[in-house]
C-alpha cells in the first residue's frame, strides 16, 4: 500500500496545469502512479549518502571553449557589391509598412 496518498483535488490541479482532460479511470491510474513515484523518492531519501559528492552528470562533462576570433573582418564593400541597390553603406529594401 502506498504511503503517499494523492487526493482528487491534486489530480484535478495537475490536470489543469498540464492542460489534460482525464477520464475517471485515468485519474485513478494517475493518482496511483504519482503515489508510487513519491514512495520511491521517500525510499531514495532513506539512503545514506554520507561522503558521496553531488554530481550533475554520471560522466565527467567539460565545456570546450574556443577563442572568439573574428575571421571575416569588415567586408561591407564586397558584400554590398551583391546588393541590387545600396545607399550610405546599407542595403535598400522595399518598405513593408507606411
Amino acid at each position: 500500500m502506498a504511503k503517499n496518498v494523492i487526493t482528487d483535488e491534486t489530480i484535478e490541479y495537475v490536470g489543469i496545469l498540464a492542460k489534460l482532460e482525464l477520464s475517471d479511470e485515468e485519474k485513478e491510474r494517475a493518482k496511483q502512479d504519482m503515489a508510487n513515484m513519491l514512495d520511491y523518492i521517500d525510499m531514495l531519501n532513506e539512503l545514506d549518502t554520507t561522503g558521496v559528492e553531488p554530481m550533475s552528470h554520471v560522466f565527467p562533462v567539460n565545456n570546450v571553449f574556443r577563442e572568439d576570433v573574428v575571421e571575416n573582418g569588415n567586408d561591407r564593400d564586397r558584400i554590398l557589391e551583391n546588393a541590387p541597390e545600396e545607399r550610405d553603406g546599407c542595403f535598400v529594401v522595399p518598405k513593408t509598412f507606411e
Side-chain angles (χ1 to χ4, degrees), residues 27-65:
K27 287 178 186 176
E28 287 303 314
R29 178 71 183 153
K31 282 172 39 177
Q32 185 60 46
D33 288 345
M34 288 177 72
N36 290 341
M37 286 185 262
L38 293 174
D39 289 342
Y40 187 73
I41 291 170
D42 286 344
M43 183 181 72
L44 291 176
N45 285 334
E46 293 173 8
L47 295 175
D48 180 17
T49 57
T50 307
V52 177
E53 289 187 38
M55 60 182 171
S56 59
H57 294 84
V58 177
F59 300 105
V61 176
N62 298 314
N63 284 331
V64 179
F65 294 104

